[in-house]
Amino acid sequence: MLDYLRDPAAIYRESFATIEREAELARFRADERAVAIRMIHACGMTDLADDIVISPGAAEAGRRALAEGAAIICDVEMVRRGIIRSRLGKDNAVLCEVGSESARATAKEIGSTVSAGGIEVLEGRIAGSVVVIGNAPTALFHLLEMLERGAAAPALIIGCPVGFVGAVESKEALIAHRPEVPFITVRGRRGGSAIAAAALNALAGGNQT
């Protein structure tokens, strides 16, 4: 038989011990640390810590919103599926419209992707929500455009789209153009549904990793 670690608890302990040894976590506040660790754990890259940006008060705002039952709005099904429902103490609604006819029709109307259309369809649920974008830069760009035109702000934006076209730019726009809205993001091309969902799960789980 192959020689490898099989015990789930031991695997978790060693994983998080590795992150603590290798990642530069000193700059994160106590309430941000669990979020950063979970994001790193989701991708297996300890240098992700260098690119994580958590705006002042964002972790606290996200935890408070979730504890009060805020809706969670996702850009794609991969994000929605990655959310650990057992950590949501208020049976929070977890919403994603990317597969709906409404999203497809709206995408044509706004001249963008179905992911962006799905965010537009959910405009009425955005106020006070936690918006989690882990795939589509167009969804993050469109959310920022909606806020610029006067849409009610969410309690928190977790904006971690991934890729080579628009990912860097959309996240920099989030950092630069909407500083009054609490946010969590990852600078650069890296991101993805697993990282975005991990950030949400860390917030929902309090300070536990």
Side-chain angles (χ1 to χ4, degrees):
M1 293 183 65
L2 297 176
D3 182 20
Y4 61 94
L5 194 59
R6 295 173 173 83
D7 178 63
I11 291 169
Y12 261 68
R13 285 195 302 272
E14 182 56 29
S15 294
F16 291 117
T18 300
I19 293 170
E20 293 279 359
R21 284 196 307 270
E22 296 185 6
E24 180 50 64
L25 300 169
R27 68 184 176 87
F28 295 107
R29 291 163 44 102
D31 61 348
E32 300 168 347
R33 189 181 181 90
V35 178
I37 288 173
R38 272 285 172 184
M39 293 170 76
I40 293 166
H41 183 255
C43 67
M45 293 177 281
T46 54
D47 68 326
L48 190 79
D50 300 334
D51 293 328
I52 294 172
V53 183
I54 302 176
S55 70
E60 179 184 354
R63 288 192 177 98
R64 182 170 60 248
L66 293 172
E68 293 173 353
I72 301 165
I73 295 175
C74 309
D75 65 327
V76 293
E77 280 292 322
M78 287 180 69
V79 172
R80 189 174 74 84
R81 296 283 183 175
I83 292 171
I84 302 172
R85 301 299 183 100
S86 62
R87 289 193 168 208
L88 302 174
K90 292 289 187 178
D91 195 28
N92 309 62
V94 183
L95 308 172
C96 180
E97 285 289 323
V98 73
S100 70
E101 288 292 338
S102 297
R104 285 190 283 272
T106 301
K108 292 181 180 179
E109 292 173 8
I110 65 176
S112 191
T113 64
V114 178
S115 297
I119 298 296
E120 176 73 26
V121 167
L122 290 168
E123 179 175 4
R125 300 296 301 272
I126 288 176
S129 70
V130 177
V131 181
V132 189
I133 296 174
N135 182 72
T138 52
L140 181 53
F141 273 130
H142 190 69
L143 174 62
L144 297 177
E145 290 172 342
M146 291 168 65
L147 295 176
E148 290 297 327
R149 77 184 187 212
L156 173 70
I157 300 171
I158 299 175
C160 300
V162 62
F164 302 100
V165 179
V168 174
E169 295 83 357
S170 65
K171 290 179 282 190
E172 290 300 326
L174 172 63
I175 294 168
H177 296 156
R178 299 301 304 189
E180 71 277 18
V181 179
F183 66 84
I184 297 171
T185 191
V186 177
R187 280 193 149 112
R189 293 174 172 176
R190 291 185 292 185
S193 298
I195 290 175
L200 187 285
N201 291 334
L203 295 172
N207 287 317
Q208 63 181 336
T209 51

